[in-house]
Amino acid sequence: MSSQTYSISDLSRELDITTRAIRFYEEQGLLSPERRGLERIYSARDKVSLKLILRGKRIGFSLAECRELIELYDPTSGNLKQLHSMLAKIAERRAQLEQQLLDIQQMQLELDTAEERCEQALAATLNNQKNSH
């Protein structure tokens, strides 16, 4: 683990995230910078955690799930627990997305049926109006 440190603006710039978001993750206990007066000093571990949070958010993980993964971070073990947990969460997320996709496809079929019925009713109404004149 490198002993490199980062300011909040370094991380903000490098990871394209607002300083407000970084402070929020700190408030949530996901980051733990050192303090030098009012200045926050972030470690390489904080940077890894932040990258994990951002990646997790992109694939739909909750902050609680991100926290679990961060807590499992252990470079001395090659991050085996973290990697296994990540794979399990990815499989779970994939299953959720597949179910959502099926739900969306079912809803599209329902919309197609409703649209078809409306169009038939409209055509019948217009036809009846035409015939009654």
Side-chain angles (χ1 to χ4, degrees):
M1 180 83 106
S2 86
S3 59
Q4 184 167 6
T5 60
Y6 308 89
S7 71
I8 195 167
S9 55
D10 292 338
L11 290 178
S12 172
R13 213 174 17 259
E14 193 172 329
L15 300 176
D16 194 28
I17 180 176
T18 65
T19 56
R20 184 176 178 185
I22 294 170
R23 284 191 297 274
F24 172 76
Y25 296 133
E26 182 185 340
E27 287 164 14
Q28 297 301 307
L30 297 167
L31 303 172
S32 49
E34 287 178 41
R35 296 288 187 137
R36 288 197 197 130
L38 295 175
E39 190 182 6
R40 292 169 167 86
I41 307 297
Y42 294 89
S43 66
R45 183 184 178 104
D46 287 320
K47 183 178 173 183
V48 168
S49 295
L50 197 49
K51 283 180 171 180
L52 194 73
I53 293 164
L54 297 174
R55 185 179 307 129
K57 278 184 57 186
R58 280 195 305 272
I59 57 180
F61 288 176
S62 68
L63 276 185
E65 289 172 313
C66 291
R67 177 179 283 110
E68 280 177 51
L69 291 169
I70 289 166
E71 288 169 358
L72 292 173
Y73 179 72
D74 179 12
T76 61
S77 72
N79 291 312
L80 289 177
K81 284 182 182 173
Q82 185 188 47
L83 293 169
H84 285 297
S85 182
M86 182 82 165
L87 285 171
K89 289 184 183 313
I90 287 170
E92 193 178 302
R93 184 69 182 131
R94 190 180 304 276
Q96 288 172 344
L97 288 171
E98 286 168 2
Q99 184 58 56
Q100 286 176 325
L101 186 56
L102 290 174
D103 293 346
I104 289 168
Q105 290 168 338
Q106 182 61 43
M107 193 175 289
Q108 286 175 321
L109 290 173
E110 299 286 344
L111 287 169
D112 290 346
T113 301
E115 183 179 46
E116 200 174 301
R117 287 183 181 154
C118 284
E119 286 172 348
Q120 288 171 350
L122 184 61
T125 301
L126 291 173
N127 198 22
N128 286 342
Q129 285 178 350
K130 200 186 304 179
N131 290 339
S132 68
H133 283 46

